[in-house]
């Protein structure tokens, strides 16, 4: 029998060739590196986290626009099912008639893009004792060739066959028993899959790792804490920075700086940009110095795995102002000069513009109501002007130190949820939050696998009418052009389109569309649970589609303190929603 099938296959192939069948796109081989680099321009698919290596989250599609958006209706909703209904922070990937989404508890799903029918589901077998700090979320996958790749809560990276959901390779990023985990979407650069790590609240050591996308084998590893040795193809590759230059004693060995939100890739400069989280422990009095490279952006050469430049947004962080926020490349003319720039809306409440070729400071602008910890950013040095009473006090003996009110809260002026940049308006659309906290320091010692904070906190509202605010920021002037307030904290990503629209979700359950120029709310749809995922758009058969994940969760319900009353009635969920225009 076996032989007969083979003969038949050969005969069929031969007859096709004889008939001179026209070459059709071989989607079976899957997207190539060039396809990924071109993702921002290819409107028929969504191949990368952020909709392009720069992650601007912009599509030039304009069938859905300010005039037509009121006809946007659901095509289908697909449930992730099971009892694992927690925060759904994923961004869908769309390729060749399939939508891939990751779900809470390290799951991945493939759905038919037209019907919502499930093609396959993968459930990572997670060990007992995983230590995700902030819900069991996942933010998305990377696609390349026959593979779809995502990171799991036990700090593994798993490559699945995108047509079958079967495991091709599975590699450990870090030891989950020491507090390592992973939730970010991997990125692909030069056929390498590049990831960060999570666990800054457990005294892990932040790092960026590059692997061969075909085998998962480690190519380079670059620690983001000063003093640690990097590797390239199994050999030592130089220490990050200079040991003990910005850390005292052995503190750098458990220094935090987790790269937990992943990175962006700029093929032009050959750099990947990764944000780094808080230094560990939170209690800053225990670790004098700037504590490089925590609460910063680091630019790493894709070929050498070495840090080319860094920019620290919160030196000697004492408020858990993780600097992980995405660094988004964009080109603009500033003062008559064409510049290669990058922008970041930091957890500390300031929006930074840097020269992305060398990290040089261009400008920083407050994008939230209040920053108590600093009174602006020094426009010459780029360092914050710390306020004298903004830092929580040092503990005395076994007693906690002086409590201070600090704003933004540790959950940030902006947290993980990615902003968008519109090439039409030249504006960044920042999903931000206005909230503060009481924070204090406590004594703490490092213990493997235990929380390493040395601090306590209670989050508090600071405005009567809102916590969330979607804000349109002009990166050239630092002006906020418009804002749209929201009662509950915003926790979802943003999408900008050529239809002069900006989409984002709310914990109250809505996916909303705003006029990109004015901020006027034009459309909303209730998805049945909080929206904390990132919307995407693509076209197929002459129609424009919009998709988003619904499913309330993430860090806010775990750590929300006094702001919890704004979201106490929100139901949990776990579903993919897909929309298109209703045609009469
Ligand atoms: Ca595309
Ligand atoms: Ca943190």
């Amino acid at each position: 029998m076996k032989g007969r099938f083979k003969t038949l296959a050969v005969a069929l192939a031969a007859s096709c060739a004889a008939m001179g069948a026209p070459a059709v796109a071989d989607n079976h081989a899957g997207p190539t590196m060039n396809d990924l680099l071109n993702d921002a321009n290819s409107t028929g698919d969504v191949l990368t986290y952020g909709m392009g290596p720069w992650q601007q989250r912009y599509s030039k599609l304009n069938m859905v626009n300010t005039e037509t958006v009121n006809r946007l209706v659901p095509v289908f909703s697909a449930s992730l099912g099971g009892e694992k209904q927690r925060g759904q922070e994923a961004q869908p990937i769309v390729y060749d008639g399939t939508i891939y989404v990751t779900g809470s508890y390290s799951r991945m799903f493939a759905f038919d893009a037209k019907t919502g029918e499930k093609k396959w589901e993968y459930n990572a077998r997670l060990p007992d004792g995983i230590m995700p700090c902030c819900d069991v979320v996942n933010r998305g996958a990377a696609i390349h060739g026959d593979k779809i790749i995502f990171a799991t809560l036990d700090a593994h990276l798993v490559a699945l066959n995108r047509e079958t959901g079967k495991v091709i390779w599975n590699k450990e990023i870090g030891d989950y028993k020491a507090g390592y985990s992973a939730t970010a979407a991997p990125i692909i650069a030069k056929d390498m899959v590049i990831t960060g790590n999570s666990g800054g609240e457990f005294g892990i050591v932040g790092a960026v790792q590059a692997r061969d996308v075909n085998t998962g084998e480690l190519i380079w590893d670059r620690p983001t804490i000063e003093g640690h040795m990097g590797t390239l193809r199994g050999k030592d590759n130089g220490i990050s920075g200079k040991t003990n230059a910005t850390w005292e004693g052995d503190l750098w060995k458990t220094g935090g700086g987790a790269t937990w939100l992943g990175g962006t890739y700029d093929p032009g400069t050959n750099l990947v940009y990764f944000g780094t989280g808080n230094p560990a422990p939170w209690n800053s009095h225990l670790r004098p110095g700037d504590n490089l490279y925590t609460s910063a952006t680091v630019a790493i050469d894709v070929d050498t795995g070495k840090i080319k430049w860094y920019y620290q947004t919160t030196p000697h962080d004492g408020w858990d102002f993780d600097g992980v926020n995405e660094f988004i490349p964009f080109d603009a003319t500033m003062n008559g000069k064409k510049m290669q720039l990058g922008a970041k809306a930091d957890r500390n409440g300031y929006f930074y513009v840097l020269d992305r070729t060398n990290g040089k400071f261009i400008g920083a602008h407050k994008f939230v109501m209040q920053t108590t910890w600093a009174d602006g950013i020094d426009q010459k040095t780029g360092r914050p002007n710390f306020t004298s009473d903004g830092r929580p006090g040092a503990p005395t003996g076994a007693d906690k130190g002086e409590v201070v009110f600090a704003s933004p809260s540790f959950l940030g002026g902006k947290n993980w949820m990615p902003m968008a940049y519109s090439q039409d308006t030249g504006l960044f659309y920042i999903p931000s939050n206005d909230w503060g906290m009481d924070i204090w320091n406590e004594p703490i010692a490092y213990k493997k696998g235990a929380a390493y904070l040395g601090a306590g906190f209670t989050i508090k509202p600071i405005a009567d009418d809102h916590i969330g605010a979607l804000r349109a920021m002009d990166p050239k002037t630092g002006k906020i052009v418009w804002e749209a307030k929201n009662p509950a904290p915003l926790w979802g990503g943003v999408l900008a389109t050529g239809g002069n629209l900006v989409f984002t979700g709310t914990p109250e359950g809505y996916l909303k569309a705003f006029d990109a120029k004015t901020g006027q709310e034009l459309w909303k749809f209730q998805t049945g649970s909080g929206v904390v995922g990132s919307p995407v758009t693509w076209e197929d058969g002459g129609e424009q589609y919009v998709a988003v994940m619904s499913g309330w969760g993430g860090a806010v319900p775990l750590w929300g303190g006094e702001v919890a009353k704004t979201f106490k009635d929100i139901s949990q969920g776990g579903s993919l929603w897909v929309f298109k225009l209703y045609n009469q």
Side-chain angles (χ1 to χ4, degrees):
M1 279 301 282
K2 210 172 172 187
R4 221 181 104 204
F5 275 119
K6 194 177 171 190
T7 310
L8 189 61
V10 169
L12 274 172
S15 70
C16 284
M19 283 156 63
V24 285
D26 182 11
N27 283 335
H28 181 73
T32 63
M33 190 66 232
N34 275 340
D35 293 334
L36 303 186
L37 292 178
N38 191 44
D39 188 29
N41 300 315
S42 57
T43 49
D45 53 33
V46 177
L47 301 178
T48 53
Y49 185 75
M51 301 178 64
W54 284 4
Q55 298 186 20
Q56 291 182 340
R57 298 185 181 277
Y58 169 82
S59 167
K60 62 189 172 207
L61 288 174
N62 60 11
M63 288 173 255
V64 180
N65 56 47
T66 49
E67 301 298 316
T68 62
V69 70
N70 60 359
R71 289 193 282 116
L72 196 60
V73 294
V75 181
F76 66 81
S77 169
S79 173
L80 303 194
E83 295 171 356
K84 297 174 175 174
Q85 307 281 54
R86 295 290 292 267
Q88 310 298 347
E89 293 187 354
Q91 179 218 291
I93 295 286
V94 185
Y95 178 71
D96 193 24
T98 303
I99 303 177
Y100 301 92
V101 294
T102 57
S104 47
Y105 287 100
S106 304
R107 294 175 294 162
M108 179 133 50
F109 298 79
F111 295 108
D112 184 292
K114 284 277 171 60
T115 66
E117 196 173 317
K118 188 162 79 179
K119 295 185 170 182
W120 55 258
E121 170 181 348
Y122 171 80
N123 278 261
R125 200 173 299 155
L126 297 171
D128 292 337
I130 54 169
M131 283 176 263
C133 73
C134 308
D135 201 7
V136 287
V137 299
N138 188 278
R139 301 191 169 104
I143 191 169
H144 181 286
D146 61 346
K147 297 174 194 67
I148 185 116
I149 304 161
F150 82 127
T152 59
L153 291 163
D154 58 346
H156 277 241
L157 192 61
V158 183
L160 306 175
N161 180 299
R162 64 177 175 78
E163 292 185 321
T164 64
K166 296 278 184 290
V167 176
I168 296 175
W169 52 258
N170 180 337
K171 299 287 177 183
E172 186 186 61
I173 294 171
D175 176 9
Y176 76 87
K177 290 174 185 161
Y180 287 89
S181 58
T183 54
I187 60 171
I188 310 272
K190 292 189 166 174
D191 298 318
M192 294 185 288
V193 55
I194 303 183
T195 54
N197 59 17
S198 307
E201 274 59 52
F202 300 93
I204 60 94
V205 174
V208 179
Q209 295 180 343
R211 293 167 191 281
D212 183 320
V213 73
N214 291 313
T215 63
E217 290 307 319
L218 187 66
I219 293 175
W220 55 256
D221 175 277
R222 174 51 53 194
T224 51
I225 295 292
E226 190 167 59
H228 290 269
M229 178 64 75
T231 64
L232 175 65
R233 298 188 191 280
K235 295 200 174 79
D236 283 356
N237 189 32
I239 285 169
S240 298
K242 188 163 171 268
T243 309
N244 285 135
T246 61
W247 293 88
E248 288 188 358
D250 284 343
L251 285 162
W252 56 278
K253 292 181 180 170
T254 52
T259 48
W260 59 263
L261 195 49
T264 53
Y265 171 40
D266 179 28
T269 54
N270 201 40
L271 297 171
V272 287
Y273 306 100
F274 273 70
T276 60
N278 61 283
W282 284 19
N283 180 345
S284 60
H285 299 281
L286 295 173
R287 42 170 176 75
D290 278 355
N291 309 136
L292 292 176
Y293 298 89
T294 63
S295 300
T297 296
V298 294
I300 301 173
D301 185 288
V302 171
D303 296 323
T304 66
K306 292 201 168 180
I307 295 174
K308 181 166 182 203
W309 59 258
Y310 72 92
Y311 180 87
Q312 194 174 31
T313 41
T314 313
H316 195 222
D317 169 32
W319 304 266
D320 190 37
F321 287 155
D322 293 38
V324 292
N325 301 89
E326 68 283 4
F327 181 79
I328 304 301
F330 71 110
D331 293 335
T333 302
M334 302 275 268
N335 305 319
K337 197 177 155 201
K338 276 193 174 172
M339 297 195 71
Q340 299 182 68
L341 301 168
K344 174 189 188 183
D346 199 274
R347 191 143 142 174
N348 71 16
Y350 290 92
F351 176 89
Y352 295 82
V353 178
L354 307 179
D355 181 328
R356 73 172 181 271
T357 67
N358 56 21
K360 193 171 156 279
F361 176 82
I362 304 293
H365 313 283
K366 190 162 83 170
F367 67 90
V368 291
M369 275 175 60
Q370 186 183 41
T371 57
T372 61
W373 66 281
D375 181 18
I377 307 299
D378 187 305
Q379 298 291 321
K380 280 219 174 73
T381 64
R383 287 177 73 91
N385 301 317
F386 289 104
T387 54
S388 58
D389 51 0
R391 185 179 296 270
T396 46
D399 296 332
K400 71 181 186 185
E402 185 200 354
V403 182
V404 302
F405 174 78
S407 182
S409 80
F410 77 95
L411 288 178
K414 175 177 169 299
N415 200 282
W416 81 274
M417 55 284 194
M419 60 185 180
Y421 174 73
S422 166
Q423 294 173 10
D424 302 320
T425 63
L427 302 175
F428 280 89
Y429 299 94
I430 308 172
S432 67
N433 289 310
D434 294 318
W435 46 12
M437 64 179 167
D438 285 337
I439 181 169
W440 59 90
N441 289 316
E442 298 165 350
I444 186 79
Y446 175 77
K447 186 166 166 272
K448 184 185 171 183
Y452 187 43
L453 299 187
F457 48 81
T458 307
I459 291 187
K460 297 179 160 183
I462 57 171
D464 294 333
D465 60 343
H466 75 284
I467 295 165
L470 179 64
R471 291 182 163 119
M473 163 67 77
D474 184 336
K476 294 184 182 181
T477 64
K479 293 245 164 34
I480 291 169
V481 177
W482 58 258
E483 65 180 6
K485 293 174 179 174
N486 194 68
L490 291 180
W491 211 253
V494 183
L495 165 70
T497 74
N500 190 36
L501 292 174
V502 176
F503 289 86
T504 198
T506 71
E508 289 90 338
Y510 290 102
L511 177 64
K512 292 187 172 186
F514 300 87
D515 183 307
K517 292 197 183 88
T518 67
Q520 188 191 352
E521 185 180 309
L522 299 175
W523 174 87
K524 66 178 178 180
F525 180 86
Q526 173 58 245
T527 65
S529 180
V531 178
V532 293
S534 299
V536 294
T537 190
W538 71 98
E539 67 175 329
D540 191 355
E543 293 184 292
Q544 184 180 351
Y545 292 79
V546 175
V548 75
M549 294 297 299
S550 170
W552 174 232
V556 174
L558 296 175
W559 305 111
E562 290 177 23
V563 306
K565 62 178 182 289
T566 63
F567 48 79
K568 66 178 171 48
D569 296 326
I570 296 168
S571 298
Q572 290 191 285
S575 51
L576 166 69
W577 284 89
V578 175
F579 304 86
K580 68 173 184 173
L581 293 180
Y582 171 72
N583 292 308
Q584 284 169 312

